[in-house]
Amino acid sequence: MHERDDRALAAIRTLLRSSHLASPGDLPELVRAGLTHLGVQDGALLLADYEQEWLVPLLDDTTRTGAPTDAVAIEGTVPGVVYSDVRPHVSTVGDVSTVWTPVLNGTERLGVLCLRLPPGEEADPGFLLDARDVATLLAELVLTRGAYGDAVERTRRRARLSVAAELQWSLLPPLTFVAPEVSISGVLVPATEVAGDSFDYSLDGDVAHVALLDAMGHGLEATLLASVALSVLRNTRRSSVPLPQRVLTADRVVATQFGADKFLTGVVGELHVPSGTWSWVTCGHPPALLLREGRVVKRLDTAVGVPIGLGLFDGPPEVVSERLQPGDRLLLHTDGVTEARDEAGTFFGVERLVDLLVREDADGRPVAETLRRLNRALLRHQHGQLQDDATTVIVEWRSGAATRTDGGTAPP
C-alpha cells in the first residue's frame, strides 16, 4: 500500500471512529482531525446557504489561517465554480496548491471541501480521489450529526427563516436525486420566506412519484395547507393507495380540516421508469411542460381538474398519461415562476423560463445548477423582491443513459 493510500485510510478511519460520540458542534474539530491525516497544511468545509448564493465555512472558536474563514460568494469564485459544476479544481499560488472538491449527499450539493497542501507538494490524481472519498464521508457526517443539533443549520442561514419557511423546509426531500434511469431536482424561492409552495418525490422500485403543490395565500396558514396535503399524499403513497385515490383523499382531508374555502393547486404524478410512461393528475395548476431536444414539444394540459380542498371531486380524478422519450424532461412549476413581474409589470413568462433552461442545458450544466441559476434570474427580474413563492421541479427520464445531470460525479 502506498503512503498516500495509508493517509486516506487513516483520515477515513479517524472520521468514522470519532463520529460515533460526536455532537454537531464537534464537526469542525472532527474535520480538522481527519484532514490532518491527509497531510494537508490546512483545510475547511464550506456549506451552501439556503439561497445558494454563498459558501459558508463550518467553524468553531478556533482561528485558522490559509483556509477561508469568511463566506465565499458562489458567483465568480473558484469554490463557486466547483460547487456549480460539481467538479474538483486545483488552484496554485506560488508553490502552494489548494484542492477544492464538491461535497455531495448522493448527487445533492452540500458545499465544497478546501484542502491546502504544504508548499511544494502537488495534487496528483491519487490525491484528488482521496479528497473525493473524504468529502463523501464528510457529507454523510454533516447529515447524520447535523440531525442532533443546530450547528449545521446555523451555518447555512445568513438570514432568519420565517416560521412558515422553517416548517416548509423541514418537509422537503433532498433537492436533487439522480439515478441511472431518472433524475429529479427542485428549487424554491424565496428561501427564507417560502410558505405555500412545496414538492415531494420518491423512487420506489419501478415508479418515481412526484408532487408539486401551491397553497392559496401566504404565511403560516398556506404552509399548514401545503404540509397537510403533502403529508396525506405521502401517507397514502406509503400505503400503496393508487394515484387517483391519493388525490381524492388529500382533497377530503384538506376540506375537512380547513373548510371548503381553502385550497391548493398541484400536479401529482408518477413515472413508470422501465417504459418512460408519465401518468398524472393536474388540480387547477399550470400544466407541466415536456421538453425534448432543447424545446417545448407539448403542454400537458389534456385534463385539468379542480383544486385540492374544495370538496368538488365527484369521484377519483382523471389520470392521463404521456410516453416519454429517453432524455425528455418534464418541467413542473408554480405560477410564481411565470407570473413574476418586473417594475414595468412584465411577466417572466414561459418563453423566458424555457429559454433559460435550454441555454443552461446547452452549456452542460447539472440540472440542479440550472435551477439555481433560474432562481437568480427570477430575483433579478424582480430586483431581489419576489411577490410570490416560485418553485420549479424537473423530472428527466434517462432510460439508463449517462447524461449531464450526473453532476460530474464520476472520478476525476
Side-chain angles (χ1 to χ4, degrees):
M1 183 177 289
H2 298 295
E3 180 184 0
R4 178 61 70 189
D5 295 327
D6 288 338
R7 289 181 179 182
L9 183 58
I12 290 171
R13 279 178 172 169
T14 296
L15 289 168
L16 284 173
R17 293 173 179 176
S18 302
S19 66
H20 296 293
L21 297 178
S23 70
D26 294 330
L27 277 173
E29 175 58 34
L30 197 128
V31 170
R32 231 179 353 260
L35 297 187
T36 298
H37 291 285
L38 276 182
V40 300
Q41 181 173 331
D42 206 347
L45 175 60
L46 294 81
L47 301 178
D49 70 341
Y50 271 85
E51 291 84 0
Q52 296 187 72
E53 293 181 347
W54 298 89
L55 293 167
V56 187
L58 184 65
L59 298 173
D60 56 14
D61 295 332
T62 303
T63 302
R64 298 192 305 277
T65 59
T69 55
D70 296 318
V72 179
I74 290 177
E75 300 295 336
T77 67
V78 169
V81 170
V82 171
Y83 177 83
S84 298
D85 294 346
V86 201
R87 295 189 182 278
H89 179 84
V90 180
S91 57
T92 302
V93 177
D95 62 348
V96 176
S97 296
T98 302
V99 174
W100 306 88
T101 192
V103 177
L104 305 172
N105 168 33
T107 50
E108 183 181 19
R109 305 174 301 178
L110 299 184
V112 172
L113 179 63
C114 167
L115 301 173
R116 187 164 167 259
L117 276 61
E121 187 168 332
E122 296 182 357
D124 58 28
F127 183 82
L128 295 181
L129 288 172
D130 293 342
R132 186 194 65 173
D133 292 342
V134 170
T136 298
L137 179 54
L138 289 176
E140 298 294 329
L141 295 180
V142 165
L143 292 176
T144 56
R145 296 299 94 191
Y148 296 102
D150 295 330
V152 171
E153 280 295 315
R154 286 175 175 154
T155 297
R156 294 187 60 212
R157 300 181 185 202
R158 291 179 59 81
R160 184 172 181 176
L161 268 64
S162 67
V163 174
E166 186 81 51
L167 176 58
Q168 200 72 289
W169 278 99
S170 70
L171 291 172
L172 288 179
L175 297 183
T176 302
F177 171 78
V178 179
E181 302 86 4
V182 63
S183 69
I184 303 169
S185 190
V187 69
L188 34 59
V189 289
T192 57
E193 296 291 337
V194 64
D197 285 7
S198 194
F199 69 89
D200 192 28
Y201 65 83
S202 175
L203 179 60
D204 300 309
D206 288 340
V207 179
H209 305 272
V210 181
L212 174 64
L213 301 174
D214 183 359
M216 66 167 291
H218 299 280
L220 190 56
E221 185 176 54
T223 296
L224 292 174
L225 270 171
S227 300
V228 169
L230 185 146
S231 296
V232 173
L233 292 174
R234 281 181 177 169
N235 178 264
T236 51
R237 183 189 76 216
R238 291 166 179 171
S239 299
S240 301
V241 174
L243 173 60
Q245 281 74 26
R246 296 202 297 268
V247 175
L248 182 61
T249 302
D251 173 71
R252 291 173 175 171
V253 170
V254 171
T256 299
Q257 293 298 317
F258 296 94
D261 61 339
K262 307 295 182 183
F263 63 88
L264 311 92
T265 66
V267 176
V268 184
E270 50 190 36
L271 176 65
H272 183 247
V273 175
S275 67
T277 300
W278 169 250
S279 303
W280 76 95
V281 175
T282 303
C283 304
H285 196 81
L289 303 177
L290 175 56
L291 279 66
R292 178 176 297 154
E293 297 178 352
R295 62 190 181 93
V296 176
V297 297
K298 185 177 289 189
R299 294 170 62 92
L300 302 185
D301 56 1
T302 306
V304 179
V306 297
I308 296 170
L310 294 177
L312 297 178
F313 288 97
D314 54 8
E318 179 182 0
V319 177
V320 288
S321 299
E322 178 77 23
R323 184 70 177 269
L324 306 183
Q325 296 182 12
D328 279 359
R329 286 180 172 180
L330 297 165
L331 173 61
L332 287 65
H333 64 87
T334 60
D335 57 12
V337 176
T338 53
E339 295 179 7
R341 297 172 182 259
D342 63 14
E343 56 189 10
T346 303
F347 286 125
F348 191 80
V350 172
E351 184 176 343
R352 196 191 311 260
L353 168 63
V354 172
D355 179 65
L356 184 147
L357 295 176
V358 169
R359 282 189 286 107
E360 295 297 335
D361 179 66
D363 289 339
R365 304 287 182 193
V367 66
E369 176 61 16
T370 295
L371 292 183
R372 189 189 75 84
R373 293 178 179 230
L374 169 61
N375 272 1
R376 304 274 67 76
L378 285 169
L379 288 169
R380 286 194 300 271
H381 186 72
Q382 293 195 314
H383 302 287
Q385 297 295 325
L386 290 180
Q387 284 83 50
D388 194 8
D389 297 349
T391 302
T392 309
V393 175
I394 292 179
V395 182
E396 181 183 21
W397 185 51
R398 298 153 57 86
S399 186
T403 70
R404 284 169 296 194
T405 49
D406 285 332
T409 55

